[in-house]
Amino acid sequence: MPRVWDNFVYNWLAGFLQDWVAFLIMGIVVMAIILNFLALLVMVLQYMDRRLIARFQVRFGPNRVGPSGLLQPIADTIKLLTKEDLRPRLADPLVFTLAPLVVFLGGTLAFAVIPFNRSGFLADLNVGILYIFAITSLGAVGIFMAGWSSNNKYSLFGAMRAVAQLVAYEVPVVVSILGVVLITESLSLVDIVEKRDIPLILLQPLGFLIYLAAATAEVGRPPFDLLEAESELIAGYHTEYNGMRWALLQLGEYVATFAVAAVVTTLFLGGWKGPGPAVLGYVWFMLKALFVYLLILWVRASLPRVRIDQLMGFAWKFLLPLALLNVFITAAEALMWPDFPWLLVPVNIAIALGLVVLWSSLFQLRAYRKVEA
Amino acid sequence: MTAFDFAFWVLATVAVVAALGVVLLRDLFRAALLLIVALMAVAGVYVTLHADFLAAVQVLLYAGAIAILIVFAIMLTRDVAQGNPFNSLHPVALAVSALLLVSLLWAVLATDWQKSFLPPLEPTTGPIADILFETYVLPFEIASLLLLAALVGAIVLAREK
């Protein structure tokens, strides 16, 4: 399998350097490209977010800086860079400084294994999908560091909620993609894309829905943004942050959300596949990922924030049983029809719809046990 | 020195320094964070040993879930800001840990380690599954049952009357 850097530059470097030094140099160059790409992408995403949410809410959104407000992200970045660097006197200085970096790393490191094209990836790990789940869960450590070190009770509440939410939603996230792994018989993201000709969303509609919902909750996007519920917690874990550190926290959140969109694209929507020459793979991948991002945005604009007991109930009573059923059904299908014929597509969609409707009628968000005083 | 040797020494140094920090730091929260660093470094060592599945699971379960729960538990303890309270068990603790260190060192040094000169397996996920679900399926199921019992027990204990 060719890597993105197996090109003439690598061969030229390997000609007069040790093999692993050339490897290291190329790795650092590709990482720098990915990092800059993500930073620029977040500017675009953030502009899109503000404009589209405004459209959803019948407002204009940023429209003064540049044509249709296009220069707004640049103005915001300059403002954030030049702001005074404040830190609470009683904050833990080291942890307070490191926390935004950890949050940012948690989302960014996932992009090391995401294949943007047939050979457009930094590394193809045999356990790629496990690696992504492992590394993105580190973002929660960063959020916790931020909340704890701020020495502020609202920050701490936000951090506690973040951890409880992450631990609860990690389970349905991991279980929901088992169906994909059963069909493709691989944990490597490149193999998952290449194994089947059709997008796996057709064979795994239930897995797709569960993963999208659970992953949105895991990165703390609305309507699951209890960790920074502004009406209750000011801003949760980033109450005490400002300037560039705050920007890094925001950057981390956007990158993590885009990582979810990229994972959905890779697992369920056929990754880079699409008509046209191979170079267009990058375009197809970005189009699909942006579409998934829009889906997450749409949900955000449409639904109010859920309550904490609803949030926990949704993970344990709704998503997890459905995810387990999905694994069971997919495993049975894999045993009986290992080729997954076309006929299974309508069957699986019908099963998914039926199960969601059935479970929704059994599961009431409003019902919660009263705690006796 | 190959790249793998270099990576091993860097990771081993990080792991040992972080582990020392976990024991020596008075600030419980920083100690817990250093525990995460140490666990991550061990995952890195797994990578250099071509145990990719083990490395990913190490990060997912130990650094991602267990360490976070430890941090959570620390947060709920009293007087975290003052750090570890002093007590009079220092000599006993010293004796026990010295005994443990000596026995571990003896076990490591005295064992005649078997060396395999086969090329490393790639990928490891399939072979691990074969061993776990065929050869050792009974211990695996017993362990699952035990974990389930512990889970039910924890829920029963935590439930308010």
Side-chain angles (χ1 to χ4, degrees), chain A residues 20 92 94-95 126-127 130 133-134 137-138 141 144-145 148 156 160 163 170 187 369 371, chain B residues 3 27 29-30 33 36 40 52-53 56 59-60 64 68 71-72 75 80 122-123 125 160:
Chain A
W20 65 276
D92 182 338
L94 185 66
V95 181
N126 285 317
V127 288
L130 267 184
F133 292 147
S137 67
L138 282 183
V141 177
F144 204 86
M145 286 164 74
W148 173 271
L156 192 56
M160 280 180 78
V163 172
E170 187 81 8
L187 292 171
R369 202 160 50 97
V371 182
Chain B
D27 187 336
F29 187 68
R30 285 189 180 186
L33 291 180
I36 296 177
M40 295 284 285
D52 46 6
F53 183 77
V59 177
L60 186 69
I68 285 189
V71 171
F72 213 69
M75 210 179 53
V80 184
E122 189 105 22
T125 317
E160 57 215 296

Side-chain angles (χ1 to χ4, degrees), chain A residues 2 4 30-31 33-38 41 107-124 132 189-190 193 255 258-259 261-263 265-266 270-274 277-290:
Chain A
V4 68
V30 177
M31 274 188 265
I33 293 174
I34 291 183
L35 270 180
N36 283 300
F37 165 72
L38 286 177
L41 181 77
T108 314
L109 283 177
F111 283 89
V113 295
I114 285 175
F116 289 89
N117 203 346
R118 191 174 299 278
S119 56
F121 48 85
L122 193 57
D124 176 25
I132 287 191
L189 290 168
V190 179
V193 175
V255 168
F258 190 72
V263 171
T265 307
T266 311
W272 65 77
K273 282 183 192 160
V279 189
L280 275 183
Y282 290 102
V283 179
W284 282 116
F285 183 90
M286 284 308 291
L287 280 180
K288 290 174 186 178
L290 281 177

Side-chain angles (χ1 to χ4, degrees), chain B residues 38-141:
Chain B
L39 291 171
M40 295 284 285
V42 172
V45 172
Y46 289 155
V47 172
T48 63
L49 296 173
H50 297 271
D52 46 6
F53 183 77
L54 206 56
V57 170
Q58 163 94 0
V59 177
L60 186 69
L61 291 188
Y62 279 91
I66 291 180
I68 285 189
L69 286 181
I70 289 177
V71 171
F72 213 69
I74 284 175
M75 210 179 53
L76 298 175
T77 41
R78 241 166 6 107
D79 300 335
V80 184
Q82 275 80 47
N84 265 331
F86 286 99
N87 58 34
S88 52
L89 290 174
H90 271 178
V92 185
L94 190 69
V96 171
S97 41
L99 193 69
L100 183 67
L101 179 70
V102 168
S103 51
L104 278 179
L105 273 181
W106 180 74
V108 169
L109 294 177
T111 311
D112 183 23
W113 295 102
Q114 288 187 340
K115 280 183 189 157
S116 163
F117 294 97
L118 297 172
L121 278 176
E122 189 105 22
T124 56
T125 317
I128 288 178
D130 285 343
I131 293 173
L132 213 54
F133 294 116
E134 277 170 24
T135 322
Y136 298 109
V137 69
L138 192 64
F140 179 79
E141 289 298 333

